[in-house]
Amino acid sequence: MSKRKDERTENKKRKAMAFLALVKSTEDNDTSPAKKSKVESHTGTTGSCNNGPIPQKEKSMSDEMYDEFKKKRKENKELIMQRPKVFLTLDELTRDNPHHVDDNGVKIRPPLFMSDVQHLLMFAVLQEYSSFKPRWCRLLRVGKITKVVAVVLDSLSAQEYERFPGSLPTLHQAFDIQADIIAPVQYASSVREDIMNVPIRLTSQADVVQLVKQKQKDGIKISPQFFKNTVAKTQLWQSYKNLKALMSNPLQSLELDSSAKPDSEIVAEAQNGLQNIGEDSPVSTFEQDKFDRRWLMLNSAQMAVEHIPMPGGESNRSFYGFKYTKKSYSKITRKSPLFAIDCEMIQTKASKMDLARVSIVDENLQVVYDSFVKPRAPVIDYVTQFSGITEEILAPVTTRVEDVQKVMMTCLPPDAILCGQSISSDLNSMKLFHPYIIDTSVIYNLTGTRQKTGLKKLTSIFLGRDIQSNSGGHCSVEDAMATMELVLLKLRNEMNFGDIKIKNVKTTDYPETGLEHSGRDEDEGLDDSQLDNSCMTVTRSLELNGVSDKMKRKRLFFQQEGCKFIENFLHRMEKHSKKGKIIDEPASVADYPVTVPVVSCSSDKESSKQTLAQLAENTFCFTHLYGYRNFLRTCGHGTDQDKPETAEELKKCLWKLDRRFWKILMGLPERSLFVVILPGREENGVVYSAKTFAKIT
């Protein structure tokens, strides 16, 4: 046994000696990176090269040389650990999304949006203080990143990238990762809006409130790191035990008979058809809310993370048959009505869980719609122990998912807020897009992490009763009613109710959300443009008056209207003592809030120089280059590009643009994150797709 061990040691020494010889030869000669790569490709692990075997191949390495080799290898490892690293996780994203499956059961990658690029940039800049980590890639050793630069090549698309590889060599050769994304023009937005407008989360607001409280208490300036050490490390178990104490002020109006209806009555109600939600909808109970119910709604970033179906990627096969809940939506207000929804699913031969029952409850806890639904695909398993559905129940049913869609489209108010427990499953099963969502699995947080608590446990803790205990399966009416009660209970208490992450923050800490300051809706009498201009936090780059209703409907999923719910990217950075700068053309300066630092540049050459110059004092730069857009305006759109002379000019334009951002890349300090965005465009009714690239220098 010792002989074999000695042989292995000798083999390791020979390989190590060959490695050290190669390292020494590269250190003695000033070899270019390209030549190094060539030498390494012609030098195998056995120690051979073009001139024959290394003379010392059979010679044993001394213990001293072997120790030197191990030391160099350790130093090399430590050097690698000092560098950030970025890599794609699209396979994980596809695997972990339960809803994006085609009719053959094949997983489909969910669409990416410009907000996903925002998450990468924000995580690189703010690190642990970022609202979200990027879901499409992973950034390791983010604390080692020195600078972050994002360059937007205006009007350039994935089509030009694929069609002219020789004119865009830097994009094709220099970047670590790339990904296709939905062009913002598909939902009446822009890169400028999607990157700069950051949705405000209660947890983010809680961080700021906690800092202010600590400053007032101690009379000293508190750093973000101090906040992290003193507040974020609160014992979660103790907080969990204290949650029941929050029930000291229960919602008296929700005391109901907790006994569920017999299945026979439920079946009879379902067969009687639907009740008209639109005409018979009760008055909203918003007067009893202690804070604005819009604060509980999922923002666009949360919707993507929670797998809520979002338009823009309708070409994705998993969105086949999806409909909007309304042809057009009204502006959401604090008076908008709530409807809780719950669905039961069964397994079909389509290799997925199909809709079998849907129940809707209003905020007066009245059942406004309850119907069984027959899937079109043959049923494999009724999953009766969970769904409560049997073959006998579905046998006489004629309602299809398309009928449910028509009910929703016809009867829901245009400003309805849908509530549900992990509601993404319900919306995907009904094949519906809806922009106004409250998810009880998000607004109640008992763990301090993204680990969710089930509806049964939430109902037991906060409502004091047991559900889903029937041996015959779950009842969607019972679940929808419990969901609505949980939402109303939260609204009747403080924002921190049932949420460990913001447990020390009260509604009074958010003066902009209080309702007692005025007898009317705070948005009443003001349109969105007036709100945005008054608060100076919103980035806007297009005039919505000329946008079609169809595009406005899509936009609601990606750009929340109203200044209270979004802030500027650079403003978020300032809260954490980080500086950033925007480099843009003079005509676009007015699109940004006046409080945001913008450097106006009249040419791409000047923009490139300013980007590198501004990095001396700033952590983040957001730069626009307009060379390709200006070319399109000069030569004209469409078929003119197919002419030989125009095609040559186009290639020159792309090459020149490539050189511009290549110079930015070459001028960046080590360990910088460099992101290039091709935003796509719409031309003659044709949408050109977007793409993004990222690299660590």
Side-chain angles (χ1 to χ4, degrees), residues 261-275:
K261 293 182 180 179
D263 287 344
S264 58
E265 290 186 25
I266 295 175
V267 173
E269 286 182 6
Q271 297 304 321
N272 288 334
L274 62 97
Q275 300 179 33

Side-chain angles (χ1 to χ4, degrees), residues 57-315:
K57 179 180 178 181
E58 300 300 330
K59 184 178 178 181
S60 176
M61 176 185 279
S62 66
D63 291 338
E64 292 79 5
M65 293 181 69
Y66 189 50
D67 290 340
E68 182 186 354
F69 164 72
K70 289 195 295 183
K71 182 180 178 182
K72 283 186 176 292
R73 187 172 62 178
K74 182 179 179 181
E75 290 174 353
N76 188 45
K77 260 186 192 177
E78 291 175 351
L79 188 62
I80 291 174
M81 294 302 292
Q82 292 299 315
R83 286 185 52 80
K85 182 179 180 181
V86 62
F87 57 93
L88 289 173
T89 56
L90 293 177
D91 290 340
E92 295 179 23
L93 180 64
T94 304
R95 181 197 65 205
D96 296 339
N97 192 312
H99 307 300
H100 287 270
V101 182
D102 65 11
D103 291 336
N104 297 319
V106 178
K107 285 272 190 177
I108 302 173
R109 198 200 83 183
L112 299 179
F113 305 98
M114 204 60 67
S115 59
D116 289 299
V117 182
Q118 180 199 72
H119 297 166
L120 172 62
L121 296 174
M122 183 165 291
F123 182 58
V125 173
L126 299 182
Q127 302 167 27
E128 68 266 31
Y129 298 107
S130 173
S131 298
F132 292 96
K133 291 184 179 179
R135 60 184 181 130
W136 60 285
C137 64
R138 189 161 296 151
L139 194 54
L140 300 181
R141 297 177 284 278
V142 64
K144 304 293 184 181
I145 291 178
T146 54
K147 304 290 181 181
V148 179
V149 174
V151 175
V152 182
L153 309 181
D154 200 88
S155 298
L156 198 61
S157 70
Q159 281 73 12
E160 284 81 26
Y161 167 78
E162 295 167 359
R163 185 179 175 187
F164 303 104
S167 300
L168 298 166
T170 305
L171 283 183
H172 281 267
Q173 300 171 17
F175 286 85
D176 301 327
I177 63 172
Q178 57 176 275
D180 296 314
I181 54 180
I182 301 298
V185 71
Q186 289 188 251
Y187 46 88
S189 187
S190 67
V191 176
R192 190 178 290 108
E193 289 180 278
D194 286 0
I195 298 297
M196 287 291 107
N197 291 340
V198 180
I200 298 176
R201 299 177 66 194
L202 286 180
T203 51
S204 302
Q205 289 287 78
D207 289 352
V208 178
V209 171
Q210 293 282 15
L211 284 170
V212 172
K213 281 186 171 183
Q214 192 66 43
K215 288 178 183 179
Q216 292 174 342
K217 179 180 178 181
D218 300 340
I220 58 175
K221 186 175 181 180
I222 304 299
S223 67
Q225 188 64 31
F226 180 83
F227 166 76
K228 177 186 175 186
N229 292 337
T230 56
V231 178
K233 293 183 179 179
T234 303
Q235 291 293 328
L236 295 180
W237 174 244
Q238 184 61 39
S239 300
Y240 176 79
K241 289 195 297 183
N242 291 338
L243 278 175
K244 287 193 175 182
L246 295 174
M247 293 297 294
S248 57
N249 182 27
L251 189 62
Q252 301 296 332
S253 62
L254 292 182
E255 292 182 355
L256 301 171
D257 182 8
S258 61
S259 59
K261 293 182 180 179
D263 287 344
S264 58
E265 290 186 25
I266 295 175
V267 173
E269 286 182 6
Q271 297 304 321
N272 288 334
L274 62 97
Q275 300 179 33
N276 193 308
I277 302 173
E279 294 180 2
D280 300 331
S281 176
V283 177
S284 172
T285 61
F286 74 94
E287 296 93 344
Q288 301 176 49
D289 297 350
K290 281 197 174 181
F291 58 91
D292 194 327
R293 55 183 55 185
R294 288 175 293 180
W295 278 105
L296 298 184
M297 287 170 47
L298 297 181
N299 59 47
S300 56
Q302 289 174 304
M303 290 174 76
V305 170
E306 299 298 330
H307 309 306
I308 303 296
M310 300 173 70
E314 294 96 324
S315 57

Side-chain angles (χ1 to χ4, degrees), residues 444-456:
Y444 283 88
N445 189 330
L446 307 188
T447 64
T449 66
R450 287 197 65 237
Q451 182 179 352
K452 296 184 176 182
T453 304
L455 182 62
K456 181 180 177 68

Side-chain angles (χ1 to χ4, degrees), residues 339-409:
F339 294 91
I341 191 165
D342 190 80
C343 297
E344 301 296 345
M345 279 77 79
I346 58 178
Q347 189 173 4
T348 66
K349 278 192 175 180
S351 299
K352 59 182 180 180
M353 302 300 287
D354 277 341
L355 181 67
R357 183 182 180 183
V358 55
S359 303
I360 303 177
V361 174
D362 65 23
E363 54 188 292
N364 281 335
L365 302 180
Q366 300 299 311
V367 178
V368 294
Y369 181 56
D370 184 23
S371 177
F372 290 96
V373 184
K374 179 173 285 188
R376 295 192 179 278
V379 178
I380 295 177
D381 188 354
Y382 286 92
V383 207
T384 305
Q385 68 273 27
F386 300 110
S387 68
I389 308 294
T390 63
E391 184 177 1
E392 293 73 23
I393 290 176
L394 282 190
V397 175
T398 59
T399 302
R400 301 287 190 181
V401 66
E402 293 82 3
D403 300 316
V404 175
Q405 292 173 337
K406 289 178 182 177
V407 169
M408 302 290 279
M409 294 171 66

Side-chain angles (χ1 to χ4, degrees), residues 290-292 295 334 495 507-508 510-518 520 522 564:
K290 281 197 174 181
F291 58 91
D292 194 327
W295 278 105
R334 66 185 181 93
M495 283 185 178
T507 305
T508 52
Y510 299 83
E512 70 274 18
T513 67
L515 303 179
E516 58 281 340
H517 68 283
S518 173
R520 61 176 178 85
E522 66 278 11
K564 294 200 316 181

